[in-house]
Amino acid sequence: MIFGLETVPNLEIHIAHGCNLSCVSCSHYSDQNHKGVLSLEGFEQSLRHWKNKIFPEMFTLLVTRVNF
């Protein structure tokens, strides 16, 4: 624990979805029809829920892009 928060090794957030596939168990949730780019407001809202609960050791922004 750091600063009284639960430590997590890596926090990932999907900020852009551009995949045209829908593979089952997709780690970018393309099979759940997520499209577009996460707005700054959406990004802040996603993190606000966790700010007093966890302390990520690493923070990763994820972008999906597949076009054949």
Side-chain angles (χ1 to χ4, degrees):
M1 269 195 183
I2 297 178
F3 308 115
L5 304 175
E6 188 68 34
T7 304
V8 293
N10 186 24
L11 178 63
E12 298 177 340
I13 190 162
H14 301 265
I15 60 168
H17 302 276
C19 183
N20 58 336
L21 303 176
S22 59
C23 303
V24 175
S25 300
C26 175
S27 65
H28 287 271
Y29 308 110
S30 294
D31 60 335
Q32 296 179 19
N33 204 30
H34 291 278
K35 304 289 182 208
V37 177
L38 184 63
S39 67
L40 180 57
E41 293 80 19
F43 180 73
E44 288 176 1
Q45 183 178 0
S46 295
L47 296 180
R48 192 173 297 125
H49 175 74
W50 296 104
K51 74 176 186 175
N52 295 319
K53 297 178 177 137
I54 62 172
F55 182 86
E57 293 177 347
M58 181 169 42
F59 189 80
T60 307
L61 303 176
L62 303 172
V63 178
T64 308
R65 177 79 178 163
V66 174
N67 289 312
F68 294 107

